[in-house]
Amino acid sequence: MSAIFTRNDEQRKLAIGTRSREGARRSGRIHTEILPASRFHLAEAYHQKFALRGRPELLKEYEAIYPSLRDFLASTAVTRVNGYVAGFGTCESLRGEIGGLGLSPAGRKRLEDIVCPHDAGERMGIGAACPAG
């Protein structure tokens, strides 16, 4: 479920405005629900950072940095990378912050290849001008 939980009318109005602007920008409806905040229950560990869990080579690096689930979930870097591998964020924004995400050089390259696949093909010599491409 995609949801924004708000604590007051001001947050609710901001969330509705943001959802509407994003829907207009994408020429479609955003299915994120806006609900009042109430008691919060953390989902099971296997649901946390779901997109990143589909990239074991990157997940392994972050699990080594953050062996406790609590620290893993609280990490801004883990959250940012989860968003990137889920398809949110641009190649340009990634390149602006990749140095601060705590990844090894191999992890950085892998993340760039995921987020910037066109650039990865060019680095590998694959493209429209390549007979094999």
Side-chain angles (χ1 to χ4, degrees):
M1 169 182 192
S2 176
I4 298 171
F5 297 96
T6 61
R7 295 202 180 274
N8 56 46
D9 285 339
E10 182 182 346
Q11 287 182 349
R12 181 171 172 69
K13 287 177 188 173
L14 288 170
I16 290 169
T18 300
R19 182 180 64 185
S20 296
R21 280 190 307 279
E22 187 63 16
R25 187 181 75 81
R26 293 182 182 211
S27 300
R29 182 172 181 269
I30 302 296
H31 297 279
T32 301
E33 293 198 45
I34 299 171
L35 304 167
S38 61
R39 192 166 186 190
F40 180 78
H41 299 278
L42 195 61
E44 293 86 2
Y46 65 89
H47 287 297
Q48 302 297 328
K49 311 301 185 216
F50 189 75
L52 179 58
R53 291 189 182 280
R55 304 296 181 157
E57 66 282 9
L58 297 173
L59 177 63
K60 210 180 284 187
E61 287 198 36
Y62 283 120
E63 287 179 330
I65 296 168
Y66 304 105
S68 93
L69 180 61
R70 181 182 174 134
D71 292 342
F72 176 82
L73 297 179
S75 167
T76 302
V78 171
T79 301
R80 298 290 298 153
V81 171
N82 185 67
Y84 278 117
V85 299
F88 302 100
T90 65
C91 186
E92 181 182 351
S93 65
L94 172 64
R95 288 189 175 141
E97 72 174 318
I98 199 164
L101 296 176
L103 291 167
S104 69
R108 289 179 188 184
K109 182 184 179 320
R110 179 67 186 122
L111 182 57
E112 274 196 73
D113 289 349
I114 293 165
V115 177
C116 312
H118 176 70
D119 293 352
E122 288 177 2
R123 283 197 307 269
M124 295 169 51
I126 300 170
C130 176

